[in-house]
């Protein structure tokens, strides 16, 4: 006994189901892509980083940094819009860093999530000065 599922044999695999990508997935992809850019010190505002640092020290609150701090996204079936909040290193060209972040994020999200990125809005909320004290126990997030 066979059941007719309404799918023709030989039909393209893409037409045999639906793929949903959660917002948090796109947030993580965007966050990793943004951190890869030279001149990005951290993601999120100083307040968000402070609260995250305190949360990371609490027992049972999860391990490691929040990969999505400073990132918000709207993901549809075909498109995504991304907002990033950055802290940049002192001395770098903010416009160059923003352009590189935008390019890296768009490339990564479109390649990995298959969503057209319609916009990447960047807010630079702080500049890491050379003489700023490092947060207690916090490692530098910048990847060179």
């Amino acid at each position: 006994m066979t059941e007719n599922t309404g799918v023709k044999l030989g039909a393209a695999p893409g037409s045999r189901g639906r793929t949903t990508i959660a917002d948090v997935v796109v947030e993580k992809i965007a966050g990793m892509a943004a951190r890869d850019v030279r001149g990005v010190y951290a993601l999120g505002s100083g307040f968000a980083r402070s609260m995250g640092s305190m949360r990371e020290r609490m027992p049972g609150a999860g391990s490691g940094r929040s990969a999505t701090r400073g990132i918000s996204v709207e993901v549809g079936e075909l498109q995504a819009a991304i907002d990033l909040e950055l802290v940049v290193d002192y001395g770098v060209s903010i416009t160059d860093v923003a352009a590189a972040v935008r390019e890296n994020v768009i490339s990564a999200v479109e390649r990995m999530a298959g969503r057209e990125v319609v916009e990447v809005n960047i807010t630079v909320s702080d500049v890491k000065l050379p003489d700023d004290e490092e947060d207690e126990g916090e490692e530098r997030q910048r990847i060179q």
Side-chain angles (χ1 to χ4, degrees):
M1 183 167 163
T2 61
E3 183 178 321
N4 185 355
T5 60
V7 176
K8 294 181 188 176
L9 292 178
S15 66
R16 295 185 190 185
R18 181 178 163 153
T19 302
T20 303
I21 299 175
D23 289 2
V24 70
V25 173
V26 175
E27 288 173 351
K28 288 180 179 182
I29 293 168
M32 293 304 294
R35 285 178 180 89
D36 282 345
V37 174
R38 184 177 174 89
V40 173
Y41 175 75
L43 296 178
S45 67
F47 178 74
R49 290 192 334 267
S50 296
M51 293 305 294
S53 179
M54 288 176 17
R55 188 173 39 252
E56 289 165 7
R57 291 187 201 131
M58 294 174 62
S63 61
R65 297 183 200 289
S66 171
T68 61
R69 187 179 307 142
I71 305 166
S72 64
V73 301
E74 292 180 32
V75 181
E77 289 198 27
L78 301 173
Q79 298 178 323
I82 302 165
D83 295 324
L84 299 168
E85 189 171 359
L86 305 178
V87 177
V88 299
D89 288 318
Y90 175 80
V92 300
S93 166
I94 293 173
T95 56
D96 289 348
V97 170
V101 165
R102 192 171 280 113
E103 182 178 333
N104 224 28
V105 167
I106 290 170
S107 175
V109 170
E110 288 183 348
R111 179 176 47 82
M112 294 178 69
R115 300 298 187 264
E116 176 191 11
V117 178
V118 294
E119 65 182 7
V120 176
N121 299 309
I122 297 173
T123 301
V124 177
S125 61
D126 203 357
V127 174
K128 167 63 173 81
L129 300 174
D131 59 346
D132 279 352
E133 297 277 331
E134 292 291 325
D135 289 339
E136 187 178 317
E138 182 175 342
E139 293 180 18
R140 218 178 142 102
Q141 293 182 11
R142 182 172 105 190
I143 298 172
Q144 296 185 15

